[in-house]
Amino acid sequence: DPGALAKSLENQALVYFSGITLAILEEASRKTLLNAVAKARAAGSRVAFDPNYRPLLWRSREEAQAAITEALAVTDIALPTFPDEQMLFGDATPQVTAGRLGRLVGEVVVKNGEDAALIAVKGAFQPVPAVHVATPVDTTGAGDSFNGGYLAARLAGHAPADAALRAHRVAAAVVQVRGALAPFETLRAAFGN
Ligand SMILES: Nc1ncnc2c1ncn2[C@@H]1O[C@H](COP(=O)(O)OP(=O)(O)O)[C@@H](O)[C@H]1O
Ligand SMILES: [Mg+2]
């Protein structure tokens, strides 16, 4: 419903979507979504996108590459995960991912599980180490909670490196509980003041 979609994107500080959304839409609906996002961006919303490549959801790797590249063209903050990008584009290292995406998007944060996240802003790379968790219970929702923490911090005016630290703390709290959700107060405490 293009009308409802456009209305939902009106006057938002941030618009956030994922490659999983692209994967489950028909080609025409995908176009409708990306047009609406482009319009919201032109009207002043910041756009964040997590490519979140899931091979089983796509007809072909080529189709995923094309759709995800189109989405990156309307993105201000890209939040990929290294193993996904490695599968989809054959990147050898997170540095390669950050460099490749940094040519398309102004702000990139490459997540990599328990390893450091790599930030690329205007050609400058900065690794931000993750929080060490001795015994992760369940990593479901790790990437999504990182994204939530990062974007909340950026909207609150924190710089990318500070936002990544907060995001790692939020994600570390989430991997220590079963399921994708931790209690809100736990997340708030991890995010910090
Ligand atoms: N074993 C772990 N120990 C500590 N932090 C982790 C661990 N696994 C994931 N995280 C946190 O979750 C974030 C996202 O995890 P990752 O596995 O890269 O994403 P996704 O869930 O998208 O595959 C990491 O950047 C890190 O902050
Ligand atoms: Mg992910």
Side-chain angles (χ1 to χ4, degrees), residues 16-20 48-53 77-81 84 111 143-144 147:
Y16 167 61
F17 69 114
S18 154
I20 292 174
F49 173 63
D50 181 343
N52 249 328
Y53 177 52
I77 304 177
L79 298 164
T81 293
D84 297 349
K111 292 159 278 173
D144 297 326
N147 295 349

Side-chain angles (χ1 to χ4, degrees), residues 142-181:
D144 297 326
S145 55
F146 181 100
N147 295 349
Y150 186 84
L151 295 171
R154 294 292 287 131
L155 286 175
H158 300 288
D162 183 19
L165 280 175
R166 292 167 181 274
H168 277 314
R169 293 200 304 257
V170 170
V174 167
V175 302
Q176 289 177 77
V177 299
R178 196 167 296 284
L181 299 173

Side-chain angles (χ1 to χ4, degrees), residues 51-52 80-91 97 100-101:
N52 249 328
T81 293
F82 174 62
D84 297 349
E85 297 301 303
Q86 188 169 46
M87 260 193 297
L88 183 56
F89 290 101
D91 298 339
T97 301
R100 184 174 54 76
L101 295 179

Side-chain angles (χ1 to χ4, degrees), residues 60-132:
S60 74
R61 186 167 173 248
E62 291 68 29
E63 188 181 1
Q65 288 175 341
I68 285 170
T69 302
E70 270 183 62
L72 290 166
V74 296
T75 294
D76 298 296
I77 304 177
L79 298 164
T81 293
F82 174 62
D84 297 349
E85 297 301 303
Q86 188 169 46
M87 260 193 297
L88 183 56
F89 290 101
D91 298 339
T93 63
Q95 285 73 16
V96 171
T97 301
R100 184 174 54 76
L101 295 179
R103 285 188 285 280
L104 305 172
V105 178
E107 181 172 340
V108 179
V109 186
V110 183
K111 292 159 278 173
N112 194 14
E114 64 185 337
D115 293 332
L118 184 58
I119 300 176
V121 179
K122 295 185 199 127
F125 286 20
Q126 188 175 2
V128 179
V131 174
H132 178 69

